[in-house]
Amino acid sequence: MTKNILSSIKINDVDIPYEVISRKIKYPRLEYRHGHLKLIVPAGFKEHEKLVNKHKTWVYRRFVAHKQRVLFTADFELHSGRTEGQLQEYVESLIVPIGNELGVFPRKVAFRQMRTKWGSCSSKGNINLNTHLKYLPEKLIEYVVFHEMVHLIEMNHGPRFKKIVQAKFHEHKTLEKQLHGYWLAISEKYAV
């Protein structure tokens, strides 16, 4: 069995560590996830340094982008004391008042871990919410629930949708930026 190799590359006076992982694959590839560079190579591949050097611009860009994300998310405090059950209870307490306000109610609300979004609404009137919402402040949870319930009226993000959201949340652009920041913070901490 081949052992993983730990190494590093110096780019612009920065040492960037990486791990070489041998697998049963045909072609080598680079991965940069959650601040870690990995070079996945076929068994017996010996030119990992040459390959990393060939793609050092890409590596450096990923490294810098990761550092910027870390700085950007430093001020986002994750609410780790809330359980998924407490999240569900809070969301359930929002459904009736928001439904009364909008004049629509979801057929079903489900919770699951999602890798790319906070929530979704189906054309059948079902709403799915990301369990990672439990890490957010209540205001952002309310915004996401409201956003998904507006989709019960307007499925796309067109002018009618935006008008309804903006009427309730004048600061919607700020909330969207905060959601992005929390997503990055959760991704960094929990490798989403």
Side-chain angles (χ1 to χ4, degrees), residues 84-144:
E84 287 181 23
Q86 290 169 325
L87 169 66
Q88 290 178 14
E89 286 176 17
Y90 180 62
V91 168
E92 287 169 8
S93 76
L94 296 172
I95 297 293
V96 171
I98 292 172
N100 287 335
E101 182 178 344
L102 295 174
V104 291
F105 291 89
R107 202 169 65 88
K108 179 181 169 188
V109 177
F111 295 84
R112 63 186 181 90
Q113 196 169 5
M114 299 176 175
R115 296 188 68 181
T116 60
K117 52 189 161 188
W118 291 112
S120 65
C121 179
S122 75
S123 59
K124 294 179 180 178
N126 297 324
I127 291 177
N128 289 304
L129 296 170
N130 193 330
T131 54
H132 291 308
L133 286 167
K134 70 183 180 179
Y135 299 115
L136 273 54
E138 289 182 352
K139 176 81 172 183
L140 288 176
I141 297 170
E142 180 186 357
Y143 175 73
V144 171

Side-chain angles (χ1 to χ4, degrees), residues 10-36:
K10 191 172 201 96
I11 307 172
N12 296 340
D13 294 328
V14 177
D15 275 321
I16 301 174
Y18 66 90
E19 182 178 11
V20 180
I21 303 168
S22 293
R23 291 199 185 141
K24 289 185 177 183
I25 59 172
K26 215 173 194 180
Y27 303 104
R29 71 178 184 270
L30 292 170
E31 293 180 356
Y32 199 98
R33 292 190 184 142
H34 310 295
H36 302 288

Side-chain angles (χ1 to χ4, degrees), residues 122-189:
S122 75
S123 59
K124 294 179 180 178
N126 297 324
I127 291 177
N128 289 304
L129 296 170
N130 193 330
T131 54
H132 291 308
L133 286 167
K134 70 183 180 179
Y135 299 115
L136 273 54
E138 289 182 352
K139 176 81 172 183
L140 288 176
I141 297 170
E142 180 186 357
Y143 175 73
V144 171
V145 172
F146 187 86
H147 177 111
E148 295 308 329
M149 287 184 67
V150 172
H151 281 307
L152 296 169
I153 299 168
E154 186 67 45
M155 285 303 290
N156 60 48
H157 291 110
R160 182 176 178 214
F161 174 89
K162 290 177 183 173
K163 184 178 178 184
I164 296 168
V165 171
Q166 290 171 7
K168 169 99 173 163
F169 293 96
H170 306 293
E171 75 282 30
H172 66 95
K173 288 182 181 177
T174 300
L175 296 174
E176 287 291 338
K177 286 179 186 173
Q178 289 175 358
L179 283 172
H180 179 68
Y182 274 100
W183 187 266
L184 293 174
I186 291 167
S187 297
E188 288 298 321
K189 186 164 184 176

Side-chain angles (χ1 to χ4, degrees), residues 51-115:
L51 187 62
V52 173
N53 269 312
K54 179 180 174 183
H55 297 285
K56 67 183 180 182
T57 301
W58 181 88
V59 169
Y60 189 71
R61 284 183 185 151
R62 298 288 182 191
F63 174 80
V64 169
H66 172 73
K67 291 298 177 194
Q68 289 172 338
R69 278 194 304 273
V70 169
L71 290 172
F72 177 70
T73 61
D75 294 333
F76 289 90
E77 182 183 334
L78 301 181
H79 297 259
S80 56
R82 187 182 293 127
T83 66
E84 287 181 23
Q86 290 169 325
L87 169 66
Q88 290 178 14
E89 286 176 17
Y90 180 62
V91 168
E92 287 169 8
S93 76
L94 296 172
I95 297 293
V96 171
I98 292 172
N100 287 335
E101 182 178 344
L102 295 174
V104 291
F105 291 89
R107 202 169 65 88
K108 179 181 169 188
V109 177
F111 295 84
R112 63 186 181 90
Q113 196 169 5
M114 299 176 175
R115 296 188 68 181

